[in-house]
C-alpha cells in the first residue's frame, strides 16, 4: 500500500424505511354494463383494478362501482389511488371480494351503494355484506401483514337518523358510519374525504362534495346523543352530514368524526394515527433486529431511534409528548455486584431469549371538537 497521510475507507450503510400510504381506497361493488358496445376492458369479477382517473372508472366499471370510485375522487382533498373490485350482479360474493382486498395496500374499504339495513347488517348465515366488511377490517388489521391496517366506511339508509342498527359486530372502532339525505353514495364520498387528510387530522367539519340536505336538531341529537355545556362530544357511533349556517357557501360537511365504537377509540383520527405510528415503528426499527445488541450502549441506541421517530411528531404538534422506558436498561445500569438474584435472572433471560421489552407512552394532541365559552358582561 502506498504511503498516504490521510486514508479514507468509505463504508455506506444507508437504510430507507418502508413508507405507508394513508389514503388508498378499495371499493367493492356491482357494475351495469351497457348492452350495446360494452367496454372490451370492463372490470372482471374478483380482479382488482387500480384507478387514478374517475372517467376511466366510469368507463370500465359503469354502475355502482364506477360511480363510487368517481365520487371518492371528487373530494378535495381526495385520494390519489382507488382500487375497484367487481362482484357478480346476481349473486354477489362480498366475502370473496373482501378476501381479495385483504392483500391490497389500502387503508379504507367501501362497499359501493350498500346502505346498512336488515339484509346487509345480518349476522346470521349468510352474513350481511356490511357485517363481512366489519369483520374484514377487524381481522386484516389484527392478523394481516405489516401496514395492512384499515378502516371500513358505510352509510345508513337515506334520511335515517337511527344509530340503533350499529351494534354488535358492526359497532367496531375500525368502522365509520355516515347518516345522510343524499341519492349519492355517501359512504364513498366520506371515504374520499377521509383519504385526503393525513391520519392525525380530525374529520370534524371537513367538506364533503355531495348533495345532501341537513338533518333537524332533534335528528342530530338522536344520532349523537345529548350533551351538556361542560361535556365533550357524546357520540353513538354514527356521523352525519351537515351544512352549518355560520360557514359561508352552503357546503356539506362532516358533522362529527366518530368511529363505530364510542367506547373504544372514539375518533377516526385516533384510529388512523395509531396505525400510522405503529407502521413507522415497525418500518424504522426493523433494521435494529439482528444488529442492536442487548447491552447498555445497544439499548441506548434503540431509545435514540425511538426518539428519532417520535420527536418530529412532537415538533409537528401531533403529539404533546412521549416517554420511552426500557426496564432492562435500568438493570444493566446498576452495579453488577448490587443486582439481586431475581434481577440477574431477568438480565440472563433477556440475553438467552434475545427479547427486550420496551414501553412507549405517547400523549396525543387531539383537535378541539367543542368550545364552551362563558361570556360575562359587567
Amino acid at each position: 500500500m502506498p504511503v498516504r497521510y490521510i486514508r479514507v475507507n468509505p463504508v455506506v450503510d444507508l437504510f430507507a424505511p418502508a413508507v405507508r400510504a394513508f389514503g388508498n381506497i378499495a371499493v367493492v361493488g356491482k357494475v351495469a354494463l351497457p348492452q350495446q358496445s360494452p367496454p372490451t376492458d370492463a372490470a372482471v369479477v374478483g380482479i382488482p383494478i387500480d384507478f387514478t382517473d374517475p372517467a376511466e372508472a366510469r368507463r370500465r366499471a359503469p354502475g355502482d362501482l364506477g360511480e363510487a370510485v368517481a365520487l371518492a375522487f371528487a373530494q378535495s382533498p381526495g385520494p390519489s389511488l382507488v382500487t375497484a373490485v367487481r362482484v357478480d350482479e346476481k349473486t354477489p360474493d362480498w366475502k370473496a371480494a373482501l378476501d381479495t382486498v385483504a392483500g391490497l395496500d389500502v387503508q379504507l374499504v367501501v362497499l359501493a351503494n350498500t346502505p346498512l339495513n336488515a339484509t346487509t347488517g345480518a349476522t346470521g348465515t349468510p352474513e350481511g355484506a356490511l357485517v363481512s366488511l366489519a369483520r374484514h377490517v377487524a381481522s386484516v388489521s389484527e392478523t394481516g401483514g405489516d401496514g395492512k391496517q384499515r378502516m371500513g366506511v358505510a352509510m345508513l339508509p337515506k334520511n335515517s337518523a337511527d344509530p340503533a342498527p350499529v351494534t354488535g359486530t358492526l359497532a367496531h372502532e375500525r368502522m365509520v358510519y355516515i347518516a345522510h339525505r343524499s341519492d349519492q353514495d355517501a359512504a364513498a364520498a366520506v371515504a374520499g374525504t377521509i383519504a385526503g387528510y393525513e391520519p392525525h387530522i380530525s374529520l370534524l367539519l371537513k367538506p364533503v362534495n355531495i348533495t345532501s340536505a341537513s338533518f333537524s336538531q332533534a335528528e342530530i341529537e338522536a344520532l349523537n346523543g345529548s350533551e351538556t355545556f361542560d361535556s365533550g362530544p357524546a357520540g353513538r357511533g354514527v356521523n352525519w352530514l351537515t351544512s352549518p349556517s355560520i360557514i359561508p357557501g352552503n357546503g356539506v360537511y362532516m358533522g362529527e368524526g366518530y368511529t363505530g365504537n364510542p367506547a373504544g377509540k372514539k375518533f377516526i383520527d385516533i384510529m388512523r394515527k395509531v396505525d400510522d405510528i405503529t407502521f413507522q415503528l415497525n418500518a424504522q426499527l426493523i433494521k435494529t433486529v439482528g444488529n442492536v445488541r442487548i447491552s447498555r450502549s445497544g439499548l441506548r441506541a434503540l431509545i435514540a431511534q425511538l426518539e428519532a421517530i417520535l420527536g418530529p411528531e412532537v415538533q409537528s404538534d401531533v403529539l404533546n409528548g412521549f416517554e420511552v422506558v426500557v426496564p432492562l436498561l435500568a438493570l444493566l445500569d446498576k452495579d453488577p455486584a448490587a443486582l439481586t438474584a431475581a434481577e440477574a435472572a431477568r438480565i440472563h433471560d433477556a440475553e438467552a431469549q434475545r427479547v427486550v421489552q420496551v414501553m412507549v407512552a405517547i400523549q396525543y394532541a387531539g383537535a378541539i371538537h367543542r368550545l364552551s365559552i362563558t361570556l360575562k358582561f359587567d
Side-chain angles (χ1 to χ4, degrees):
M1 180 177 180
V3 175
R4 296 183 185 275
Y5 295 103
I6 300 176
R7 299 165 182 166
V8 179
N9 179 28
V11 177
V12 178
D13 186 22
L14 301 178
F15 173 70
V19 177
R20 176 181 185 264
F22 60 79
N24 291 347
I25 303 175
V27 181
V28 179
K30 304 175 184 178
V31 303
L33 295 175
Q35 294 184 355
Q36 294 185 348
S37 302
T40 57
D41 56 350
V44 178
V45 173
I47 305 299
I49 304 176
D50 293 337
F51 288 110
T52 57
D53 180 6
E56 184 70 0
R58 285 190 170 108
R59 185 185 70 82
R60 297 185 63 183
D64 291 345
L65 184 56
E67 290 302 319
V69 173
L71 190 54
F73 276 124
Q75 308 309 309
S76 181
S80 57
L81 178 69
V82 179
T83 302
V85 179
R86 177 184 174 185
V87 294
D88 186 77
E89 286 67 46
K90 294 182 179 178
T91 56
D93 191 341
W94 299 102
K95 191 175 184 302
L98 290 170
D99 288 342
T100 299
V101 172
L104 302 179
D105 180 22
V106 298
Q107 293 77 50
L108 297 162
V109 185
V110 183
L111 304 187
N113 194 26
T114 306
L116 176 58
N117 53 38
T119 300
T120 60
T123 57
T125 304
E127 66 184 20
L130 292 179
V131 172
S132 295
L133 174 60
R135 288 175 174 164
H136 164 83
V137 294
S139 175
V140 174
S141 298
E142 292 296 328
T143 62
D146 291 334
K148 290 295 190 290
Q149 292 86 356
R150 58 197 56 194
M151 300 185 74
V153 185
M155 60 181 176
L156 269 58
K158 179 182 178 181
N159 296 324
S160 174
D162 181 13
V166 180
T167 185
T169 302
L170 295 170
H172 199 281
E173 59 194 16
R174 289 196 174 275
M175 288 296 295
V176 177
Y177 297 95
I178 187 71
H180 64 102
R181 292 188 182 281
S182 178
D183 292 324
Q184 298 170 278
D185 192 334
V190 169
T193 298
I194 297 172
Y197 292 94
E198 293 185 64
H200 65 276
I201 302 297
S202 168
L203 273 299
L204 175 61
L205 294 181
K206 298 303 183 288
V208 183
N209 186 8
I210 192 173
T211 301
S212 180
S214 296
F215 288 94
S216 67
Q217 189 59 43
E219 289 171 323
I220 292 175
E221 186 167 341
L223 287 165
N224 181 70
S226 61
E227 298 178 359
T228 66
F229 182 82
D230 296 319
S231 71
R236 299 181 66 185
V238 176
N239 304 290
W240 60 94
L241 298 178
T242 187
S243 298
S245 59
I246 56 176
I247 299 180
N250 295 321
V252 178
Y253 299 84
M254 288 286 292
E256 252 302 344
Y258 299 134
T259 67
N261 182 10
K265 297 179 182 68
K266 187 173 182 175
F267 298 102
I268 299 168
D269 57 293
I270 293 178
M271 189 74 263
R272 296 180 74 211
K273 192 58 190 176
V274 166
D275 290 344
D276 179 55
I277 291 180
T278 299
F279 181 79
Q280 287 188 58
L281 293 175
N282 285 337
Q284 298 193 47
L285 293 179
I286 187 63
K287 194 172 185 294
T288 66
V289 178
N291 292 310
V292 173
R293 307 196 72 80
I294 303 175
S295 63
R296 295 171 64 190
S297 60
L299 295 184
R300 283 196 168 85
L302 175 61
I303 292 175
Q305 291 187 46
L306 286 165
E307 291 174 344
I309 297 169
L310 299 174
E313 300 284 351
V314 177
Q315 297 170 6
S316 301
D317 207 28
V318 176
L319 302 180
N320 282 327
F322 64 90
E323 182 181 7
V324 180
V325 177
V326 183
L328 187 64
L329 182 58
L331 299 181
L332 292 173
D333 282 339
K334 295 179 67 173
D335 183 348
L339 291 171
T340 66
E343 291 172 336
R346 287 175 58 188
I347 294 176
H348 173 75
D349 289 345
E351 293 171 339
Q353 298 176 17
R354 302 201 174 191
V355 61
V356 175
Q357 182 184 37
V358 180
M359 293 178 286
V360 181
I362 63 174
Q363 299 173 2
Y364 181 58
I368 296 173
H369 278 217
R370 301 289 188 273
L371 278 175
S372 298
I373 302 173
T374 299
L375 186 61
K376 182 179 180 182
F377 282 83
D378 290 328

